[in-house]
Amino acid sequence: MAHLPIVENAWLLLDNERIIDFGQMDNCPERADQILDATGRMVFPSWCDSHTHLVFAASREEEFVGRIKGLTYEEIAQNGGGILNSAKKLRAMTEEDLFERAWNRLQEVIGFGTGAIEIKSGYGLTTESELKMLRVIRQLKEKSPIPIKSTFLAAHAIPPEYKENREGYIQLIIKEMLPKVAAEGLADYIDVFCDRGFFTPEETDHLLKAGLKYGLKGKIHANELGLTGGVQVGVANNARSVDHLEHCSDIEIACLLNSETMPTLLPSCAFFLGLPYPPARKMIDAGLPVTLATDYNPGSTPCGKMPFAIALACIKMKMLPEEAINAATINGAFAMEMSDTVGTIAIGKKPNVFITKDISSIAYIPYAFGSDHISQIVLNGQIVQ
Ligand code: NIG
Ligand code: FE
């Protein structure tokens, strides 16, 4: 995790499709159509944000104020706020309006240096509205300059119509939604909010197995609110990642050590909700890799800024800057099954990079946590900012 290879005094050659080559200045190629002088600056592979909910209808700052006054995230959810509040607003919004809002958020996070991203459904909670969300993500995929992975998260909360019939909702997901999602090829993964007050490990197990039948691997929400068995059920079903882990004991660490599942940490969520931070130091010292992602969503993390997640990882979870940068790039790429194409500066990968301002070291990025360190963004070999 702490090994971050660096080439000093380097050149990097890109075309519109791929990274062609790189090396040190004493053997720099003599010709190029366009030259960017990065003297005194650094070139990074773009961030890979492997966990977001950036398709949503509206912000929820009234709940934020409610929490300031003493309510908890779980109390707000039990009173019909939270995810159900977002679902009510999303159901009423057209696909076009949702797309426009999500597109603006995507532009925003690209400006923070994100060059590959995962986006979830989960604010529809009906067949029609979950499909609407996934179609918005498909449109984003078609138009976006950065690669996107799509995750089907109908098991985000039990909708009010099924309050007294949770099994009915789970059957709706399995028998009606999943076949339609798969038939239209709308998702790359399936997600379940496996936590206290949401879905149980048994329910999560059924849902993950149903997803696997359609070729959708799990990327699940686990252990945000307690030690609820989410890690174990994710690992047992070979989930690609288990995300959150604000609660993570030695048992979960041991379980992850024997797996292919990537633990993904979302420190801006712990920051915003006042939850304990995931024990990243303990996990890494035990031999685990970790990924960092934003969790950008209107309820628990209204912030899609990868550099802020990286700063929190260093400041609050005692990750070294090099560890945090690996976690936010190549490990995020792994969590989205894109490590062949993004996440490092390597020959043949996508030419998605950013050039920093004149900064003194890598550690300066999380250290000066409130500053913007990017001077230029290059996506698909083109300067975008
Ligand atoms: O990752 N924890 C579950 N889902 C989201 C938050 C959803 C919401 O509050 O709108 C999360 O934190
Ligand atoms: Fe999330």
Side-chain angles (χ1 to χ4, degrees):
M1 286 292 304
H3 177 59
L4 184 69
I6 291 168
V7 185
E8 306 257 7
N9 195 26
W11 55 268
L12 172 64
L13 184 64
L14 313 171
D15 69 12
N16 293 346
E17 257 109 58
R18 52 188 215 109
I19 293 170
I20 297 177
D21 206 354
F22 57 85
Q24 280 183 308
M25 282 312 287
D26 48 14
N27 65 4
C28 184
E30 276 166 26
R31 298 174 68 90
D33 294 341
Q34 192 185 2
I35 295 172
L36 283 182
D37 182 0
T39 305
R41 303 187 278 157
M42 296 184 210
V43 183
F44 276 75
S46 298
W47 311 124
C48 296
D49 190 352
S50 65
H51 182 137
T52 83
H53 309 245
L54 69 68
V55 178
F56 58 86
S59 60
R60 303 207 314 250
E61 62 269 31
E62 65 288 354
E63 295 178 7
F64 166 65
V65 175
R67 283 194 301 103
I68 294 171
K69 291 181 179 162
L71 291 173
T72 67
Y73 180 78
E74 285 177 270
E75 284 164 350
I76 291 167
Q78 281 153 12
N79 296 334
I83 294 164
L84 300 184
N85 176 1
S86 280
K88 203 195 278 168
K89 292 176 183 156
L90 184 135
R91 289 176 185 182
M93 190 170 277
T94 64
E95 199 172 312
E96 292 69 31
D97 285 350
L98 271 175
F99 172 80
E100 196 187 311
R101 287 170 194 223
W103 178 257
N104 291 338
R105 292 181 200 116
L106 186 66
Q107 300 313 306
E108 180 198 17
V109 304
I110 286 173
F112 298 146
T114 297
I117 198 165
E118 180 259 16
I119 308 174
K120 301 173 192 296
S121 72
Y123 291 128
L125 312 181
T126 62
T127 304
E128 187 196 342
S129 296
E130 283 295 308
L131 289 172
K132 177 169 74 179
M133 275 190 93
L134 290 167
R135 289 184 190 125
V136 169
I137 301 174
R138 180 171 62 194
Q139 265 196 75
L140 293 169
K141 279 192 189 195
E142 286 163 5
K143 302 196 172 119
S144 161
I146 68 171
I148 297 176
K149 287 282 171 99
S150 164
T151 300
F152 172 54
L153 174 57
H156 201 187
I158 302 280
E161 314 82 86
Y162 285 89
K163 201 169 173 210
E164 307 304 329
N165 178 19
R166 35 191 313 125
E167 186 51 30
Y169 184 59
I170 291 164
Q171 288 310 315
L172 181 79
I173 296 176
I174 294 175
K175 300 231 166 83
E176 186 175 298
M177 295 190 200
L178 253 176
K180 291 192 174 164
V181 169
E184 281 191 53
L186 286 170
D188 302 298
Y189 299 100
I190 183 166
D191 194 342
V192 181
F193 187 9
C194 178
D195 223 317
R196 189 167 69 206
F198 292 86
F199 291 85
T200 67
E202 293 71 31
E203 292 165 346
T204 304
D205 187 59
H206 289 160
L207 288 156
L208 290 179
K209 289 198 161 66
L212 280 171
K213 283 198 188 131
Y214 292 95
L216 304 184
K217 276 188 210 160
K219 273 177 78 64
I220 71 168
H221 283 73
N223 294 27
E224 175 185 354
L225 307 172
L227 287 171
T228 49
V231 170
Q232 289 84 339
V233 70
V235 167
N237 286 284
N238 211 9
R240 187 61 175 183
S241 68
V242 286
D243 303 19
H244 272 285
L245 314 188
E246 283 83 355
H247 300 268
C248 183
S249 75
D250 292 347
I251 298 170
E252 281 76 17
I253 291 177
C255 174
L256 284 161
L257 276 169
N258 291 312
S259 80
E260 301 278 299
T261 301
M262 175 62 82
T264 296
L265 315 181
L266 315 165
S268 337
C269 173
F271 172 80
F272 189 70
L273 293 186
L275 303 174
Y277 286 88
R281 190 70 263 146
K282 205 170 161 194
M283 296 167 86
I284 296 170
D285 291 345
L288 283 175
V290 303
T291 289
L292 289 169
T294 64
D295 198 18
Y296 193 5
N297 77 74
S300 74
T301 324
C303 170
K305 195 169 192 171
M306 282 297 277
F308 184 58
I310 292 165
L312 285 175
C314 298
I315 298 162
K316 293 293 187 183
M317 307 199 294
K318 303 286 177 239
M319 285 174 66
L320 294 168
E322 291 81 2
E323 292 173 329
I325 287 162
N326 279 324
T329 53
I330 187 63
N331 287 3
F334 176 92
M336 297 186 278
E337 295 179 287
M338 288 203 266
S339 20
D340 288 349
T341 51
V342 293
T344 56
I345 295 181
I347 294 170
K349 283 197 180 183
K350 265 187 180 303
N352 290 4
V353 301
F354 62 82
I355 305 174
T356 66
K357 295 178 178 161
D358 187 351
I359 56 173
S360 42
S361 71
I362 283 180
Y364 189 79
I365 293 176
Y367 159 83
F369 65 89
S371 304
D372 171 13
H373 302 296
I374 297 182
S375 73
Q376 272 166 322
I377 291 169
V378 175
L379 296 177
N380 306 307
Q382 308 275 348
I383 302 169
V384 298
Q385 188 182 306

